[in-house]
Every structure is written in C-alpha cells, then in structure tokens.
C-alpha cells in the first residue's frame, strides 16, 4: 500500500510578521498549497469554513486554509468570490492579502517566502498595501488604521493612503456592516495608541463616513483656560492616549471616544463655550451605540460619562446633597466597580489636556472613598433604628438618602476615617 506523503503547510500572515519582529503571536494561520478539499478530507481534516475552504488539523486543531485567489463581485465586505484548488500558488495566495508585512509565509525549515517585500517594509517601518486588490475590501481601511494604532512608529505609505481615499470617495466604506466596523474599532481602541487609528481614518476621509459625530470635533475650539490644547479633536486624541497609558479597559476607552460629542454640534456663535453639550453628547453616543450595535456595558458606561463627567470634575466643590445625588445618578451605590470605570474615564479626560498630563486626579480617590464610607454606613444606620417602627416605601428611601447625605457630609467635614 502506498503511504501518503507528509502534508506540506506554510505558516502565513501575522504569525510570520510577529516572529520577525521578535513578538509572541497567538495567530497560527496555515495554508496548504497544491491540494484540494478532497485531499484534506482524506487526511482527516474537518471542514469549518462556511465562506472559505478552511479546515481543522486532525492533530493540532489549528486552522488550515487552502491557497486561494479572490475576485470582487459586488460592493462591500461580502462581495467576493474565491477560487481554491491545487493550481493556486503560494505567491497568488499571498498577493490577495492586505499589507506587505502580512503577506509573508514560512516553511517548516524556517525559511521566509516574501514575494511582496514585507521584510523590507518591516525594517523601514512602513505599512504598505500588497496590490491594487487592496481596494476591493473596505475592511482593509479599518485594519490599516488598527495596525497604525498598534505600531505608532510605523508610517503609512503615501500610495496606500491614496488608495484608501479613493475607496472612501467611491462609497466602499458605506457598505460595511455595523458588526465588522465595531469589531475593528474595538480592537483599535485597545491598541497602544488608539488615537492613531482616528488620525489614519480621518486622513483618508473614512472617519467622516463611519463616525461623523467624532469627525466634526476637529476645528471646534474650547476655552483656553480649561483646554490649552484648544481644539476639541486634539483633546479627544489626548484623552484616548491617556486612557491607553492608564491601561483602561475597552468600556472606558469607548466612553472616552464619545464623551464630548455634543461639542461638535455647538453653534459657532457660542464658541468657545459649550453650554449643554453633555446632554447632546448622550444623545449622539446613544445613536452611535445603536448604529454600530455596541455592547451594552460600553453603551451604558459611555452615557454616564458623557452626562456626568463635568459634574464629577467639579464634585469636590459641591455640597453633600449635590454629591449624593451625583453618585446616585451614576448608580455608584449599586455598582461601585463600574463607578470606578466612570472615574477612570473622567481621569483620562482631565489629564488628556495640554500641561495636565502628570497632574494627579484627586477626585477619583475622594469619590471612591465616599462611596465605600456610605456603603458601610447604611447597614449601621439601619441597625441603629433598633426596635423603632418599621419603615417602607418612600419613607425608607428618604431614610437611606438622609443617611447617605449625612455620611458624605461627615466625610467632607473630616469626621470619617479614610479621608
């Protein structure tokens, strides 16, 4: 009986790129060249790809794809047909990929196959498209922006930016489905420099089509005594960079992205003041959340931050009653851990200003301490009632509110430990 020859696979894409950069990669994408789907099935591979010929390796469970070519058939992300059989070469498969640094392969001996100059672009720190096929998939604009956020010291090739601009003008990004936009946006927000993602999207015009509420912040001035950087768009970039520096989670970074949207709708006659922008920001953030189908935790946090960040910044100058109402609106008593994320977004906002980057945000520790003091004080206040008549309904609500105010007042007066 004739034995089967060992299957020859090539490691491709991000895993090769990251190995060359000396980085750990969780990507293990493989391509089988010179085979058909029947060949893989006969070797025990299990099909998993609904849209593409992708299989699970019978031993490693890694995903293995047949080498394929693609052809554009309609606008948008899904408008493709593919061709995969034993005649497709490795070079043809790599040519359909987005960037040269992602269009390399490695064989089992560690030899790099690099027909499109990916190693040179890695060395020169350039993000460059592989071929004109880049224009066929609008998701690639988002991926390019995300990689720019991952490696802010890489530049985008001029010809690649020109292709992105042409794609935007042709209406390609308008065909993107909300789930894919959010997927790439959320990944980009979690990169080391999420602001760079916005800069790239704005430079090619994609930000104006995908997030017009964000794009219109540029060119809008703010009061210089509070914002030495003046421009609201510049402030947004600084806030996002501060959130990344603070290692904030996605919900916080998304809240930072949308916290000031209302300033983009302030009439020019009212510049540089933005009275009432908070409520406008809430409505615009709500619209983005609906349009992109943003997860609930991100949407809820974003609305609280948009509505309350100004009040939180000024909270230490408020009365005990006003602080108690503020903490109630933030649902701090019921969800103290989420309130810490609210404060984290507010800190990024306060420190995301020119000259304020290293200034401590004392509000955060103070409000957290107040919340903890109140949470400890309420059970004590209830127990202290002892054998007094039971209170329910509105009377109970008033009793708890008064106890909270009393605790906050004592905190402000220095009567509680932990101050």
């Amino acid at each position: 009986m004739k034995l089967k020859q060992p299957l020859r696979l090539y490691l491709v894409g991000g895993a090769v790129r990251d190995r060359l950069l000396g980085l750990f990669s969780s990507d293990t994408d493989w391509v089988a060249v010179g085979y058909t789907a029947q060949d893989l099935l006969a070797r025990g591979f299990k099909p998993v790809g609904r849209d593409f010929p992708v299989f699970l390796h019978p031993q490693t469970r890694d995903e293995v794809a047949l080498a394929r070519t693609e052809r554009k058939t309609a606008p948008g992300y899904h408008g493709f047909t593919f061709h995969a059989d034993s005649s497709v070469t490795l070079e043809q498969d790599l040519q359909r990929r987005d960037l040269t640094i992602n269009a390399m392969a490695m064989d089992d001996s560690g030899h790099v196959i690099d027909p499109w100059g990916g190693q040179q672009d890695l060395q020169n720190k350039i993000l460059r498209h592989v071929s004109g096929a880049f224009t066929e998939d609008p998701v690639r604009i988002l991926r390019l922006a995300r990689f720019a956020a991952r490696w802010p010291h890489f530049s985008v090739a001029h010809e690649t930016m020109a292709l992105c601009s042409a794609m935007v003008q042709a209406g390609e990004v308008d065909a993107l489905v909300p789930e894919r936009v959010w997927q790439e946006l959320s990944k980009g927000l979690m990169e080391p420099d999420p602001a760079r993602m916005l800069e790239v999207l704005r430079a090619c015009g994609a930000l104006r089509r995908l997030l017009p509420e964000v794009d219109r912040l540029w060119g809008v001035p703010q009061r210089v005594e509070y914002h030495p950087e003046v421009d609201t768009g510049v402030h947004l970039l600084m806030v996002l960079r501060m959130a990344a520096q603070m290692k904030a989670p996605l919900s916080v970074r998304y809240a930072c992205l949308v916290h000031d949207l209302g300033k983009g709708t302030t009439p020019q006659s009212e510049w540089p003041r933005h009275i009432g922008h908070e409520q406008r920001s809430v409505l615009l953030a709500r619209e983005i959340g609906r349009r992109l189908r943003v997860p609930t935790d991100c949407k809820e946090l974003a609305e609280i931050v948009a509505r309350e960040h100004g009040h939180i910044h000024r909270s230490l100058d408020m009365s005990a009653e006003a602080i108690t109402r503020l903490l109630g609106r933030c649902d701090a008593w019921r969800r103290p851990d989420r309130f810490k994320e609210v404060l984290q977004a507010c800190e990024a906002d306060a420190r995301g200003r020119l000259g304020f980057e290293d200034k401590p945000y004392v509000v955060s520790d103070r409000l957290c301490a107040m919340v903890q003091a109140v949470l400890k004080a309420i059970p004590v206040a209830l127990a202290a009632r002892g054998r007094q008549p039971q209170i329910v309904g509105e009377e109970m609500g008033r009793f708890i509110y008064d106890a909270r105010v009393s605790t906050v007042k004592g905190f402000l007066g220095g009567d509680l430990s932990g101050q």
Side-chain angles (χ1 to χ4, degrees), residues 60-351:
T60 66
R61 312 305 290 174
D62 286 342
E63 289 192 355
V64 177
L66 289 177
R68 68 181 188 265
T69 58
E70 294 175 345
R71 183 169 62 86
K72 185 74 168 175
T73 58
Y77 170 60
H78 293 293
F80 290 91
T81 58
F82 67 88
H83 172 69
D85 64 25
S86 58
S87 68
V88 178
T89 67
L90 179 61
E91 288 74 15
Q92 287 175 317
D93 181 89
L94 295 176
Q95 186 178 22
R96 68 177 175 78
R97 297 174 185 269
D98 52 3
L99 303 175
T100 60
I101 63 171
N102 298 329
M104 296 178 283
M106 182 179 290
D107 63 21
D108 54 10
S109 66
H111 173 67
V112 176
I113 298 92
D114 180 20
W116 310 110
Q119 292 180 92
Q120 187 66 46
D121 282 342
L122 270 185
Q123 182 178 342
N124 294 332
K125 297 180 172 56
I126 295 175
L127 300 174
R128 188 193 315 275
H129 66 284
V130 175
S131 70
F134 183 96
T135 63
E136 296 178 351
D137 186 356
V139 172
R140 289 174 172 173
I141 297 177
L142 294 169
R143 282 175 53 83
L144 171 68
R146 175 161 62 86
F147 282 121
R150 180 179 301 179
W151 296 302
H153 51 294
F154 278 52
S155 62
V156 179
H158 294 300
E159 60 269 27
T160 301
M161 189 62 75
L163 279 183
C164 291
S165 298
M167 293 168 69
V168 172
Q169 293 172 11
E172 279 287 330
V173 296
D174 301 333
L176 284 169
V177 297
E179 293 84 356
R180 196 59 196 271
V181 174
W182 171 250
Q183 181 183 38
E184 295 296 330
L185 178 65
S186 60
K187 288 179 180 179
L189 286 173
M190 292 306 296
E191 297 289 4
D193 187 3
R196 183 84 191 288
M197 173 178 62
L198 296 190
E199 291 176 330
V200 170
L201 292 176
R202 184 167 177 264
C204 68
L207 188 64
R208 184 171 62 253
R209 307 303 291 267
L210 297 172
L211 291 171
E213 303 90 344
V214 175
D215 184 73
R216 67 168 66 105
L217 293 176
W218 273 266
V220 176
Q222 302 174 94
R223 295 175 63 181
V224 68
E225 61 267 35
Y226 298 119
H227 288 277
E229 71 283 354
V230 181
D231 190 279
T232 308
V234 173
H235 168 60
L236 172 60
L237 298 179
M238 296 179 70
V239 173
L240 286 174
R241 288 191 167 112
M242 183 56 63
Q245 180 180 318
M246 295 165 60
K247 309 296 184 185
L250 175 61
S251 55
V252 171
R253 299 189 192 201
Y254 176 70
C256 290
L257 175 68
V258 301
H259 80 285
D260 259 351
L261 296 179
K263 291 181 178 178
T265 62
T266 301
Q268 290 191 25
S269 60
E270 298 179 14
W271 290 354
R273 298 173 63 85
H274 296 278
I275 297 174
H277 79 276
E278 295 88 354
Q279 190 56 40
R280 299 196 301 275
S281 296
V282 170
L283 296 176
L284 291 169
R286 191 173 296 164
E287 167 57 24
I288 291 178
R290 181 202 61 76
R291 188 171 73 239
L292 297 186
R293 300 171 191 173
V294 174
T296 300
D297 62 327
C298 292
K299 288 191 296 186
E300 290 181 348
L301 189 77
E303 290 192 18
I304 293 173
V305 172
R307 185 182 68 242
E308 304 294 351
H309 66 275
H311 299 129
I312 289 173
H313 293 331
R314 299 186 295 271
S315 60
L316 297 188
D317 296 324
M318 293 179 178
S319 67
E321 291 82 359
I323 292 175
T324 302
R325 292 193 296 270
L326 170 62
L327 294 175
R329 293 195 303 272
C330 294
D331 204 11
W333 320 120
R334 193 173 64 92
R335 301 187 63 178
D337 289 339
R338 187 181 68 177
F339 182 60
K340 290 180 182 178
E341 293 190 349
V342 172
L343 293 175
Q344 197 173 22
C346 290
E347 179 176 352
D349 178 41
R351 295 174 58 197

